[in-house]
Amino acid sequence: MTKRRPLVAGNWKMNGSRTESAALLDGIKKGISSTSKAEAAVCPPYVLIPLAAEKLAGSAVAWGGQNLSVHKSGAFTGEISGPMLKDYGCTYVIVGHSERRTLYGENDAMVTEKYGAAQAVGLIPILCVGETLQEREANQTEAVVARQLDAVLSKHGIASFKNAVIAYEPVWAIGTGKTATPQQAQDVHRFIRSRLATKDKTIAESTRILYGGSMKGSNAKELLAQADIDGGLIGGASLQADEFLTICHAAD
Ligand code: PEP
């Protein structure tokens, strides 16, 4: 079986001044060594990416964007492209976060395009999938996750997952303080992996599937102990260095 290196990625969302972010980056950098088993990454708002690049260059911590345009350049006011993120040393970019899907109308087709735009410039997309509370209560969790995954699979193929990360983020657990139980999360992670395995078992075994949704220092260990949970995508708890580092160390 292929060993999957855990990844803990912080999604800072729209938070942080330059001063606060500099302190946060210094704190995270101090706590992560190049010998850590788990990989750590931060995804700050666009304007703080140059600061992250400056602070984290040469460290074991990677950085990435929270979104990208499907276009490379041109008359797209307010947008940021994959080549721009790459130019600032980003390794990762989050695509299809539920806030993008629900607040900014990103549908499966748009997310799929963004996934391709990221890979086209050598960025690793962190593809977010997950169901709402209403969908869970209607027993549609697997159908929703399958639909979100299949959109990408049918356009970009299973081989594209060699250079991608998946984040299972139940929408009802994001920013709510409600975490999926380790078993609830594991069940969906297992389902995602088995769906990939129908196309290619080796790729399915090597694809990292992160859990996201109110993961914090106090619940990380139990979630990360699940067989198919390969790290976390962390919102609120990634804004405090000690909390984020506790999660990173739990993934080690
Ligand atoms: C997220 O936004 O990806 C997330 C998981 O947020 P939180 O950890 O705050 O629930």
Side-chain angles (χ1 to χ4, degrees):
M1 194 174 120
T2 322
K3 273 232 182 296
R4 298 182 293 267
R5 186 178 183 208
L7 169 64
V8 178
N11 173 14
W12 292 8
K13 311 194 188 193
M14 196 173 72
N15 291 295
S17 66
R18 258 184 87 78
T19 309
E20 286 161 354
S21 303
L24 179 55
L25 290 163
D26 285 339
I28 292 170
K29 189 165 73 169
K30 240 186 260 163
I32 302 288
S33 85
S34 55
T35 57
S36 302
K37 182 181 160 228
E39 188 184 351
V42 294
C43 298
Y46 289 139
V47 293
L48 293 168
I49 287 176
L51 179 68
E54 182 193 312
K55 290 270 181 195
L56 300 177
S59 80
V61 184
W63 60 96
Q66 298 174 13
N67 181 29
L68 83 166
S69 168
V70 297
H71 303 286
K72 287 199 163 134
S73 64
F76 301 102
T77 302
E79 292 289 276
I80 297 286
S81 71
M84 289 170 172
L85 295 177
K86 195 71 188 155
D87 196 29
Y88 276 90
C90 289
T91 301
Y92 296 101
V93 61
I94 299 169
V95 299
H97 189 279
S98 73
E99 285 151 22
R100 300 294 319 169
R101 292 181 190 258
T102 57
L103 303 175
Y104 300 97
E106 291 190 12
N107 58 25
D108 290 337
M110 291 158 80
V111 172
T112 297
E113 247 196 289
K114 290 188 175 197
Y115 175 101
Q119 290 193 332
V121 294
L123 291 165
I124 300 174
I126 300 176
L127 170 68
C128 300
V129 297
E131 82 289 358
T132 62
L133 184 58
Q134 203 183 10
E135 289 162 342
R136 172 163 283 264
E137 286 174 347
N139 282 324
Q140 288 170 349
T141 298
E142 292 190 352
V144 169
V145 168
R147 191 202 72 222
Q148 292 169 334
L149 209 52
D150 290 355
V152 174
L153 272 170
S154 62
K155 178 94 194 274
H156 300 292
I158 184 70
S160 75
F161 283 85
K162 284 185 196 164
N163 296 306
V165 173
I166 296 171
Y168 168 58
E169 299 208 305
V171 180
W172 48 272
I174 298 178
T176 59
K178 274 192 211 159
T179 317
T181 65
Q183 192 58 53
Q184 280 175 323
Q186 166 59 22
D187 288 347
V188 183
H189 281 235
R190 183 75 237 150
F191 171 76
I192 292 170
R193 201 177 304 288
S194 63
R195 190 126 193 129
L196 297 180
T198 61
K199 309 275 182 204
D200 187 304
K201 281 201 176 63
T202 310
I203 293 175
E205 278 307 318
S206 61
T207 300
R208 293 182 290 182
I209 308 174
L210 316 183
Y211 168 79
S214 301
M215 194 192 271
K216 47 185 186 270
S218 58
N219 61 22
K221 228 186 176 108
E222 249 195 316
L223 285 158
L224 294 167
Q226 302 301 308
D228 291 288
I229 300 185
D230 308 312
L233 182 55
I234 318 299
S238 71
L239 298 173
Q240 289 171 332
D242 55 347
E243 195 69 19
F244 184 67
L245 289 171
T246 303
I247 301 171
C248 293
H249 297 146
D252 264 343

